[in-house]
Amino acid sequence: MRILIADDHELLRDALGAFMQSEDGIELHTAADFAEACTLLKGEWTYDLVLLDYNMPGMNGLDGIAVANEISGVHRVALMSGEASREIAEQALEMGAIGFIPKTLPAKSLVNAIKFMAMGEKYAPLDFMTAEQEEINHPILDKLTNRERQVLHGLTEGKSNKEIALDLELSEPTIKLHVKTLYRKLEVGNRTQAALVARDAGIF
């Protein structure tokens, strides 16, 4: 099966690529933004599944799903996001997406979900779709300011300091200071460890 994954975060593309390439019978193509994804979709390849990130450049939220579905030969489009709400996932499915994948899924579950959709089955994690939209309370969060939580969220998505700065409309040196404070509060030595602590705790 041939799969196209479009996401603007190189770290996530590389991680997904490593997971998918270890599976037999999967040919993986990647794109860094929606425009590149559309170019590939209009090219010589046909894909069993097209997985689009909700927040990548050019996607315009859910509009990208409609655009991708209109491209000749595209039959299965799914949405992926680290921060979309249940309402967004439901809207995506209503617009014809074959599934929705939260980036918080464990790696093995994520790979299985992608394979499942590539074979034509609809997918959305039941716990995500039925969960109450509650504010998460966790001892780790109690240690952090609101801004530090936002920076940590960016780290869990594999974003660089520059990307986080743009998202939060802050300077890059300010983000670096927040990141250093996070290391101290979380008792870790680098951004990967900080992201893993947050992911393991189920915060994001």
Side-chain angles (χ1 to χ4, degrees):
M1 59 180 65
R2 186 179 295 119
I3 294 167
L4 172 62
I5 294 177
D7 191 289
D8 58 322
H9 296 118
E10 185 177 3
L11 187 65
L12 186 129
R13 291 199 308 274
D14 290 347
L16 280 178
F19 293 138
M20 300 305 297
Q21 299 290 17
S22 65
E23 299 286 320
D24 292 332
I26 292 180
E27 180 182 336
L28 181 68
H29 295 189
T30 61
D33 55 37
F34 188 65
E36 185 181 355
C38 288
T39 298
L40 289 170
L41 292 175
K42 294 172 183 175
E44 61 181 303
W45 307 105
T46 56
Y47 294 95
D48 296 291
L49 177 68
V50 180
L51 188 57
L52 303 173
D53 175 52
Y54 178 65
N55 288 320
M56 70 178 162
M59 183 70 175
N60 295 322
L62 295 173
D63 291 348
I65 292 175
V67 173
N69 273 327
E70 289 297 316
I71 297 174
S72 177
V74 176
H75 304 296
R76 300 184 193 120
V77 178
L79 188 69
M80 169 175 62
S81 176
E83 54 195 54
S85 64
R86 184 179 64 199
E87 286 74 22
I88 294 292
E90 289 170 345
Q91 288 175 41
L93 296 172
E94 288 170 6
M95 290 178 67
I98 195 168
F100 173 80
I101 295 183
K103 290 182 181 177
T104 50
L105 271 188
K108 189 169 182 180
S109 298
L110 197 148
V111 171
N112 288 337
I114 290 173
K115 290 165 68 176
F116 194 62
M117 291 185 292
M119 291 186 286
E121 300 292 338
K122 288 202 167 191
Y123 177 85
L126 185 63
D127 57 349
F128 178 86
M129 299 305 288
T130 58
E132 293 293 328
Q133 299 297 306
E134 301 177 340
E135 185 175 344
I136 296 173
N137 291 312
H138 193 282
I140 290 176
L141 290 179
D142 292 339
K143 300 179 183 179
L144 309 179
T145 65
N146 187 51
R147 186 65 80 192
E148 288 163 358
R149 295 179 191 185
Q150 292 172 328
V151 173
L152 181 58
H153 191 191
L155 295 183
T156 63
E157 293 190 319
K159 292 182 179 180
S160 66
N161 287 349
K162 185 176 182 180
E163 289 173 313
I164 296 171
L166 287 171
D167 287 346
L168 300 181
E169 298 182 350
L170 296 170
S171 70
E172 195 171 344
T174 299
I175 298 300
K176 285 181 180 178
L177 286 174
H178 282 310
V179 170
K180 281 188 177 180
T181 304
L182 280 172
Y183 291 172
R184 178 175 55 79
K185 289 185 176 182
L186 299 179
E187 299 178 0
V188 298
N190 58 53
R191 60 202 303 116
T192 301
Q193 290 173 353
L196 285 173
V197 165
R199 293 290 286 272
D200 288 346
I203 295 171
F204 298 116

